[in-house]
Amino acid sequence: MAQAVDKKNKARLRPKEKFNFFQDQRVRSVFYQLLTAGLVGWFLYYLGSNTAQNLEARGMSTGFGFFNTTAGFDTEFKLIKYTPGVGTYRDIFIIGALNTLLVSFFAIIASTILGFFVGILRLSNNWLVAKVALAFVEIFRNTPLLIQIIFWFMGIFSVLPVIKKTIDLSFGAEFLLLNNRGLYFATPIFGNLFWLTALALAIAIIAVIIIRFRAKKRQEQTGEQVKILLPCIALIVLLPAITFFATGMPLAWDIPSIQGFNFVGGASLPPAFLALFVALSIYHAASIAEAVRAGILSVNKGQTEAALSIGLEQKKVISLVVIPQARPAIIPPMISNWLDTVKNSSLAVAIGYNDIVSLFMQTTLNQIGHALEIVGLTMAFYMTISLIISGFLNIYNKRVQLVER
Amino acid sequence: MAIVTAQKTPDRQPPLSETSIIGWMQKNLFSSITNTILTVITLYIVYLTVKGIYIWGFADATFVAENRRECYNNSLTGACWAGVIDWMDNIMYGRYPRDELWRINAGGILVVLWMAPLWMSKVKGKIFIGISVVMLYPFLAGYLFSGGSKGLFMQVMVSGAIVAFIANMLNMIIGLTKNQSLVQFLLRIFNQNNASDKTQRNVILGIMIISFLAIFLWQISFNLEKVGWTQWGGLFLTLVIAGVGIAASMPLGVILALGRRSRLPVVRVLSTSFIEIFRSVPLITVLFMATTMFPLFMPDGFVLNKLVQVIIAVILFNACYMAENVRAGLQAIPKGQFEGAHTIGLGYWGTMGLIVMPQALKHMIPNIVGNFIGLLKNSTLVSIIGLFDILLMLRSISRDVPWLGLHREPLIFGAVLFFILCFSMSKYSRHLEKKLSTDNKS
C-alpha cells in the first residue's frame, strides 16, 4: 500500500525533464571524450607525419629488415654462440636481453636474501645492531645507484690485483679466482652416469614432499607431531651421495689456469657484471629491508602477545603468527622492487656491461640507425617483463584477498 | 586497619635499571648471552670501519697537492682529496664562465630568500609568495643563468619578478617587525587605511605600476653576458634538471591522476596507458628515446637542444610517478568528502580544487618528497647521454692529466653530497608529516 502511494507521489513530484543540450550529462561526456580523443589523435598524427617527412628527407628506411643483417662488432660477454661478421642483429638483441635477465636474476636473489636479513636486524632488540642496520639502509638508499655502480666498477673491481697476483676465493683450490679481469670459476664436466645422481636427487625431493604432506595430515587429524626434519635431511643428502659414489664419481671440474697472459678453462664473469650485480643487490637490499621491516611492524602487537600467552615459544611465534600475517604486506613492495631491479640493470650502459640497452639501444643504434624500431623494441622488452611480473603480483594479491575473507 | 595519613607519600624514584645508562645498556645491549656476543662483534666491526674510514679519509689523506704524484709522495694509504678540491668549481658549476659564477650563486640565494617567508609564522600573504615563486622566479633565474639580450616578454617577466622579490622581502621585514602585511603598511603610510576598498585598491595598484615601471626602465640599461647551455654543468645542472622536472611534472601528474580516475572511458584509458607505459620502462631508455626520436618528431627545420630534450623526457617520466602519488593521495580521501562537496552544489573542479586536493596534498607530501629525492638521484643518468652534470664532472677528474686515474675520491665525494641532500630532505618530510597530521592516532 505505502509503496504504491510512494510511487504515485514520486511520479507526480518528478519535474518535467527539459532536455538542455549544453547542460546534459551524457552529451557533455561524449563531447569531452571526443575532444580528448581528437586532440590526442591529432597530436599523434602530427608527430607521425613529421617523422615520415624527416625520414624521407634523410633517406632513412624503416622496418625490421635489419634483424637479418650481419653485425660486425663483437661483445665481451655473451651467453649464446656468436661470431662477429656471421651473427645477425637478432643475435645481438638476444645476447643483450639474456645478459639483462642474467644479472637481474642473480641480483634479485641476492638482494632478497640480504634485504630480509637486514630488515630483521633493523628490528633487533639489540640497539647497536638495529642502528648499524639503519645506517646501512640509509646510506645506500640515499645515494644515487649510478654513482654506486660506477664506484664498484672503477673503485673496486677494476683495481683488483692483476692476473699474476690473482686472489683465490676458494682457499687454494683454484675454483674461484678474482682479479681485475673478472671472476673466473671452475665449471663442472658431467660424466656419463651423472644423470643417475640427478635422478636420485629428484626422487629424494619428491619423497621428502610426500613425507611432509603425510606428517602434516597426521598432525591435523590426531594432533601428534612427527619429527621429520632429520630423516628428510638424511634422505636428501645420502641418497644422491650414495648414488654418486656407487656410479664411480662421474664428475670432473674444468679448473681455470693461467696460460700466457690469460686464463684457460672454466668460465668467467667480467668486472662490469660483478660491479652491476653487487651494486644492484646492495641498493635493492636496502629497499627490501625497509619493506620487510614495515611488513613485520604492520602486524598488531597484540598478536605476538596473545601467541606468547598461549604458550608458544618465541621462534614459533615468529614463524606461525607474525610471518604469515606480515607476508601480504611484504610481498607486493618486494615484487615491485624486483621490477625496479630489472629496470635499473639498464644502468649497465654506464660501465659497459653488454645488456640490452648498451648493446642494442646504443651500439646497434649508432651503427645502423633505425631509431624508431630499436627504441620501440627495447621498450617493448622492458614492458613485457614488467607485465609478466605485475601479472604475478596481481595473482598473488587476489589469492591473499581470497584467504582473508 | 589501614594507616591513613593526611599527606600523600612521595613517589618513589624509578628503579636504577630504568633511568641510568647502565640500566639502559643492560636492557638494550647485554640482555642475554647471545645479545652480548652480538654487541661485541658489531662493536668491533663498527670500530674497524670507522677507524678505516678515519685513517683513509682524514688522518692519512692529502688535502693540498698539485697532482696525484704529490699525493702519493705524501702517503700511499690515504685519500687524495686535493684532486676533488682542485676541481670543486667544476663539480659545482661545470664549465660556466668563472667571472659569471655570481649569477648562479645569486639564483640560489634568491630562491632561498624568496621561499624563506613560507616558513615564518608571522609573515602574511603566503599564498602570493607561493604563487610568485612558481610563476615568476623561473623567468628571473632563467635569465640570470642564460643571459643574452632580453626580448620584450623576458623584460616584462624579469621586471615583474624583481618587483615581486622586493615586495616579498619588504613584506617579510614588515611582517617580522610590525606583524603586518606590506599592503597594510603601505596604506598606513599613505594615510588611506580608512578609505574605501576601491581607493585602497587603486593606491596599491598605483604603487605597483610605478615600481614596475621604475624597475623596467632600470633593467633596460644592462644585459647579462650570454652563457650557452653547453657551458652549464656540475651540481648546478643537476639541480636545474631536478628542479624543473619536479615543478613541471607536478601539474602534469595531477592531470594524469585525475584522468586515470575519470568517469569518461576514453580519458581513463588514455591516461592509464600513458602512465603504465612510462612506468614500465627504465629512465635511461626514455632519455635515449628523447635524444634519438625527438629530432624525428619535430617539424622541418626546428631543432631542440639536448638539454631541453632531456628535461622534457624527465618531465614525462616523472609525471607518471607523480600521478601515482597523487592517485594514492586521492584514494585516501573518504567518499563522504566527495559527496559532501556535491551536496553543497560544487561541480567537478570545485570539488577537486577546494575540497579534495587540499586534503589529499597533505597525504601526498612524503611521497612527493620521496619522488623528488628519487628524481635528484636519477638525474645523474643524464651523464650517460653526455650532459656534463655532477657525475660526469666527477668522472672527468680521473681523465684530467694531473689527476689521472683518480676514481674513488670524487665518487665518494659525490655520494656524500647526495647523501646529505637526500637524507636531510627525507628527514624533513617525515617531520612535516608528523606536524601536519591532524588525525588523533598516536
Side-chain angles (χ1 to χ4, degrees):
Chain A
M1 255 305 261
Q3 274 179 355
V5 171
D6 266 2
K7 247 183 193 171
K8 227 178 172 182
N9 278 343
K10 249 186 197 165
R12 205 185 302 152
L13 283 172
R14 188 184 298 153
K16 248 190 196 171
E17 245 184 67
K18 269 190 248 165
F19 183 72
N20 184 336
F21 187 81
F22 293 103
Q23 294 296 324
D24 189 74
Q25 190 84 59
R26 281 155 299 177
V27 175
R28 292 180 70 145
S29 110
V30 168
F31 169 73
Y32 282 126
Q33 296 191 50
L34 281 178
L35 187 73
T36 325
L39 277 175
V40 173
W42 172 81
F43 185 67
L44 288 180
Y45 170 77
Y46 175 72
L47 292 186
S49 66
N50 276 340
T51 310
Q53 221 170 24
N54 282 324
L55 286 176
E56 204 175 332
R58 298 173 200 189
M60 282 148 72
S61 63
T62 49
F64 288 96
F66 68 90
F67 247 33
N68 296 320
T69 354
T70 52
F73 58 92
D74 197 6
T75 68
E76 187 198 357
F77 181 67
K78 54 206 165 218
L79 294 176
I80 59 168
K81 275 208 174 94
Y82 164 85
T83 27
V86 180
T88 57
Y89 283 110
R90 183 183 284 115
D91 296 334
I92 294 288
F93 179 79
I94 294 169
I95 291 172
L98 285 178
N99 286 352
T100 294
L101 293 177
L102 182 80
V103 74
S104 316
F105 178 75
F106 284 112
I108 282 172
I109 290 177
S111 66
T112 308
I113 295 169
L114 189 61
F116 258 96
F117 184 65
V118 177
I120 289 165
L121 288 188
R122 276 278 265 129
L123 295 168
S124 161
N125 53 8
N126 187 320
W127 181 84
L128 188 69
V129 172
K131 286 294 166 208
V132 169
L134 174 70
F136 173 87
V137 169
E138 292 292 0
I139 287 172
F140 287 103
R141 268 200 334 173
N142 282 316
T143 41
L145 176 60
L146 189 57
I147 289 190
Q148 291 181 32
I149 290 175
I150 295 173
F151 179 79
W152 284 107
F153 182 63
M154 288 300 201
I156 307 284
F157 285 107
S158 295
V159 293
L160 287 173
V162 290
I163 285 190
K164 296 272 178 206
K165 293 177 185 169
T166 184
I167 308 166
D168 194 348
L169 295 177
S170 54
F171 307 105
E174 301 205 329
F175 268 41
L176 269 179
L177 302 171
L178 191 64
N179 54 48
N180 67 351
R181 296 248 191 109
L183 180 74
Y184 290 80
F185 52 92
T187 45
I189 305 168
F190 301 115
N192 279 335
L193 288 170
F194 189 77
W195 62 274
L196 277 172
T197 310
L199 187 71
L201 184 68
I203 291 172
I205 289 172
I206 292 169
V208 165
I209 291 171
I210 293 171
I211 290 171
R212 268 198 63 171
F213 181 74
R214 289 183 63 173
K216 209 174 177 187
K217 208 170 174 188
R218 190 158 164 199
Q219 191 191 353
E220 275 167 8
Q221 280 170 354
T222 63
E224 263 182 82
Q225 285 186 346
V226 195
K227 296 210 163 164
I228 55 162
L229 187 67
L230 225 72
C232 281
I233 291 175
L235 192 63
I236 251 177
V237 174
L238 286 180
L239 192 63
I242 290 169
T243 329
F244 183 66
F245 288 111
T247 49
M249 295 195 276
L251 180 69
W253 292 95
D254 187 9
I255 293 175
S257 57
I258 303 176
Q259 275 185 13
F261 293 108
N262 217 334
F263 278 98
V264 175
S268 71
L269 294 167
F273 177 92
L274 302 174
L276 191 62
F277 165 72
V278 172
L280 281 177
S281 307
I282 291 181
Y283 183 80
H284 285 286
S287 350
I288 289 180
E290 281 303 272
V292 169
R293 172 176 163 271
I296 292 177
L297 282 183
S298 76
V299 177
N300 201 322
K301 207 180 170 190
Q303 297 284 330
T304 321
E305 287 166 355
L308 284 171
S309 74
I310 59 167
L312 286 177
E313 311 157 34
Q314 186 73 42
K315 271 180 201 162
K316 288 205 166 160
V317 172
I318 290 170
S319 66
L320 295 176
V321 178
V322 177
I323 297 281
Q325 293 189 71
R327 213 182 287 144
I330 294 175
I331 293 207
M334 203 164 77
I335 292 181
S336 77
N337 239 302
W338 295 352
L339 189 55
D340 285 345
T341 312
V342 178
K343 288 195 279 173
N344 280 336
S345 72
S346 61
L347 298 182
V349 64
I351 55 170
Y353 173 65
N354 297 319
D355 82 324
I356 188 164
V357 172
S358 96
L359 267 189
F360 197 60
M361 217 176 190
Q362 207 178 33
T363 317
T364 307
L365 198 145
N366 283 342
Q367 289 207 343
I368 57 168
H370 288 285
L372 285 177
E373 298 89 335
I374 286 177
V375 171
L377 212 60
T378 316
M379 285 187 157
F381 168 76
Y382 282 106
M383 273 179 227
T384 317
I385 290 175
S386 62
L387 270 183
I388 292 171
I389 294 182
S390 49
F392 278 122
L393 183 63
N394 284 342
I395 293 171
Y396 177 80
N397 277 342
K398 266 202 190 116
R399 265 186 56 190
V400 171
Q401 269 173 1
L402 279 178
V403 170
E404 254 177 19
R405 273 170 202 168
Chain B
M1 281 289 272
I3 301 164
V4 180
T5 56
Q7 268 156 353
K8 182 176 175 290
T9 39
D11 291 338
R12 269 191 294 169
Q13 289 289 317
L16 205 63
S17 66
E18 288 295 316
T19 51
S20 71
I21 292 176
I22 294 175
W24 177 88
M25 275 168 68
Q26 211 226 322
K27 207 168 143 193
N28 288 301
L29 296 175
F30 305 107
S31 59
S32 65
I33 295 172
T34 32
N35 236 339
T36 309
I37 296 171
L38 210 60
T39 305
V40 171
I41 294 174
T42 319
L43 211 57
Y44 185 64
I45 295 173
V46 170
Y47 167 74
L48 283 187
T49 318
V50 171
K51 188 181 152 201
I53 291 175
Y54 175 75
I55 288 179
W56 181 79
F58 297 99
D60 283 0
T62 315
F63 290 90
V64 186
E66 282 296 308
N67 52 42
R68 206 155 174 229
R69 176 73 19 221
E70 277 182 37
C71 280
Y72 277 139
N73 292 341
N74 188 17
S75 108
L76 276 171
T77 53
C80 181
W81 297 116
V84 178
I85 293 168
D86 190 37
W87 268 66
M88 194 55 85
D89 271 1
N90 287 323
I91 294 172
M92 291 297 162
Y93 308 105
R95 287 173 296 179
Y96 209 83
R98 288 293 170 266
D99 293 339
E100 308 285 329
L101 289 188
W102 65 271
R103 281 155 59 175
I104 297 178
N105 295 335
I109 293 168
L110 272 179
V111 72
V112 171
L113 282 178
W114 207 313
M115 306 243 293
L118 293 174
W119 275 264
M120 297 175 185
S121 53
K122 274 183 172 178
V123 177
K124 292 179 175 58
K126 286 192 181 130
I127 294 174
F128 293 107
I129 300 172
I131 293 173
S132 69
V133 79
V134 175
M135 304 294 286
L136 292 172
Y137 173 74
F139 292 98
L140 185 59
Y143 181 67
L144 263 179
F145 298 155
S146 59
S149 59
K150 302 183 276 261
L152 183 66
F153 175 72
M154 210 55 189
Q155 287 186 345
V156 170
M157 291 322 269
V158 167
S159 325
I162 295 173
V163 171
F165 177 72
I166 293 171
N168 184 9
M169 288 297 104
L170 289 175
N171 185 34
M172 183 180 82
I173 293 163
I174 291 162
L176 287 179
T177 52
K178 295 212 154 76
N179 225 348
Q180 278 179 330
S181 75
L182 180 63
V183 174
Q184 288 167 333
F185 182 75
L186 286 176
L187 288 174
R188 240 209 355 228
I189 287 180
F190 290 97
N191 256 334
Q192 298 288 346
N193 45 351
N194 292 324
S196 69
D197 281 358
K198 210 172 171 187
T199 339
Q200 286 192 352
R201 203 186 61 203
N202 288 342
V203 168
I204 294 299
L205 219 64
I207 295 171
M208 272 168 65
I209 289 172
I210 289 169
S211 47
F212 177 80
L213 284 177
I215 298 284
F216 187 80
L217 293 173
W218 169 71
Q219 60 83 29
I220 288 178
S221 61
F222 71 92
N223 267 329
L224 292 169
E225 190 192 324
K226 186 166 173 56
V227 180
W229 68 270
T230 43
Q231 285 172 294
W232 297 17
L235 182 66
F236 159 64
L237 183 65
T238 302
L239 289 177
V240 165
I241 293 173
V244 176
I246 199 85
S249 66
M250 192 108 84
L252 194 58
V254 170
I255 291 171
L256 281 171
L258 292 178
R260 195 170 181 171
R261 280 169 65 90
S262 165
R263 277 177 291 112
L264 314 174
V266 172
V267 178
R268 194 170 58 228
V269 167
L270 283 174
S271 314
T272 310
S273 43
F274 187 82
I275 291 174
E276 289 306 328
I277 286 175
F278 275 97
R279 271 164 50 87
S280 66
V281 297
L283 176 57
I284 188 68
T285 59
V286 181
L287 289 176
F288 272 122
M289 182 188 89
T291 49
T292 57
M293 278 164 73
F294 280 7
L296 293 176
F297 288 157
M298 292 301 128
D300 209 18
F302 187 81
V303 182
L304 280 179
N305 71 42
K306 210 173 188 178
L307 183 61
V308 175
Q309 290 174 347
V310 164
I311 286 180
I312 292 175
V314 166
I315 291 171
L316 290 180
F317 183 81
N318 200 52
C320 296
Y321 285 83
M322 195 59 100
E324 289 301 279
N325 291 339
V326 175
R327 192 167 74 114
L330 289 176
Q331 268 169 351
I333 305 300
K335 218 179 167 194
Q337 297 289 328
F338 291 86
E339 290 165 350
H342 280 309
T343 317
I344 59 169
L346 289 173
Y348 178 79
W349 294 108
T351 311
M352 285 298 171
L354 297 173
I355 309 290
V356 177
M357 274 300 169
Q359 299 183 64
L361 204 65
K362 205 172 68 189
H363 292 280
M364 293 175 333
I365 282 177
N367 283 341
I368 290 176
V369 176
N371 186 281
F372 182 64
I373 292 172
L375 179 62
L376 195 64
K377 289 192 292 173
N378 272 340
S379 63
T380 52
L381 262 65
V382 302
S383 68
I384 293 177
I385 52 168
L387 287 188
F388 276 90
D389 79 325
I390 182 164
L391 182 54
L392 202 51
M393 277 296 163
L394 290 169
R395 291 188 79 179
S396 306
I397 298 179
S398 66
R399 283 173 223 139
D400 188 22
V401 176
W403 310 107
L404 215 57
L406 189 74
H407 290 293
R408 277 187 205 168
E409 288 85 351
L411 289 172
I412 287 181
F413 173 78
V416 170
L417 200 65
F418 271 100
F419 179 80
I420 292 169
L421 283 174
C422 298
F423 184 70
S424 51
M425 263 192 285
S426 77
K427 271 274 177 259
Y428 181 70
S429 97
R430 259 172 259 170
H431 160 79
L432 205 62
E433 188 187 0
K434 252 184 218 161
K435 201 174 117 187
L436 288 176
S437 144
T438 44
D439 57 26
N440 297 322
K441 285 181 231 158
S442 59

